[in-house]
Amino acid sequence: MRYSDQRKRLVQELVEAGITDQNVLKAFEIVPRELFVLPEYVSYAYRNQPLPIDSNQTISQPLMIAIMLEKLRLNRDDIVMEIGTGSGYQTALLSNLAKEVCSIERIDILSLKARKVIDKLGYTNVFYKIGDGAAGWQKAFPPYSEFPKIIVSAAADKVPSMLIKQLSDPGILVVPVGGSNIQQLIVVEKSNSEVKESVHGGCSFVPLISESE
Ligand code: SAH
């Protein structure tokens, strides 16, 4: 089956699993996941499952990404901070949904490889940082100190305080929090100077490796 048909089938699966955000579904129909997986896994690219990538990391499960993107309630004016570039697949989805994406990855070869694929696809609204994402963006360019939307794709043992600090008011932060095998998806919403957390079911991510508190 052609990749474009496989993509349509994956989108149908996401719809059946309860994803309703039309912009999110559209992004999944556009981004070629086969370019972000290892060559030996291209025939599995459109299965709704995580797959191994370099450096013992994983490309996230499409449904899990879709759930997180939906929770972010993205609009075209949003500047998004993403922690855990990984393969760059979710970065490319975000690139279709937001104004700019500032993506942080601690493993340099992953960041560089992701960037190559994303550049080849022609996206120009993504900025990359190699380093500890739990410390936030802290980069001269683009010079943002606050983000209306933040998404973390690795499991933290608690919500990183620097990310709450760098969340705009109003703003939404989505982060898996918990132990090494299973975590809960936490949505942090900031509005009128108040910070509220809600819990949204189980998930399973590779750990966020951080020196920051
Ligand atoms: N959304 C990505 C997920 C990659 S897995 C994808 O679908 O490809 C999570 C990534 O988070 C890994 O690449 C890992 O190296 C990275 N990571 C872990 N701790 C990190 C940290 N403190 N800062 C930045 N990236 C981190």
Side-chain angles (χ1 to χ4, degrees), residues 53 57-60 65 82-90 104-107 110 131-134 153-154 206-210:
I53 56 172
Q57 304 301 317
T58 55
I59 177 171
S60 308
I65 297 178
E82 175 190 51
I83 317 257
T85 315
S87 66
Y89 176 59
Q90 179 180 280
I104 311 175
E105 169 58 55
R106 60 179 286 276
I107 301 175
L110 289 178
D132 181 4
S153 300
V206 297
L208 183 79
I209 297 172
S210 173

Side-chain angles (χ1 to χ4, degrees), residues 177-196:
V177 173
S180 57
N181 287 320
I182 190 107
Q183 305 98 32
Q184 301 282 337
L185 187 63
I186 304 290
V187 176
V188 180
E189 282 192 67
K190 204 186 259 189
S191 77
N192 302 317
S193 317
E194 261 191 82
V195 178
K196 282 191 194 142

Side-chain angles (χ1 to χ4, degrees), residues 98-178:
K99 187 172 174 197
E100 285 173 2
V101 186
C102 294
S103 187
I104 311 175
E105 169 58 55
R106 60 179 286 276
I107 301 175
D108 54 359
I109 58 157
L110 289 178
S111 178
L112 297 171
K113 193 169 174 183
R115 182 180 194 148
K116 226 173 170 176
V117 181
I118 291 168
D119 283 352
K120 209 165 125 195
L121 288 170
Y123 296 116
T124 54
N125 59 345
V126 183
F127 302 92
Y128 303 84
K129 179 182 164 176
I130 295 169
D132 181 4
W137 180 247
Q138 294 168 338
K139 213 179 163 193
F141 187 82
Y144 304 129
S145 53
E146 279 191 354
F147 293 79
K149 305 288 160 73
I150 300 178
I151 180 166
V152 184
S153 300
D157 48 15
K158 65 186 186 69
V159 182
S161 59
M162 197 58 191
L163 298 186
I164 298 180
K165 202 169 162 195
Q166 291 202 350
L167 187 64
S168 307
D169 186 349
I172 304 177
L173 156 65
V174 182
V175 53
V177 173

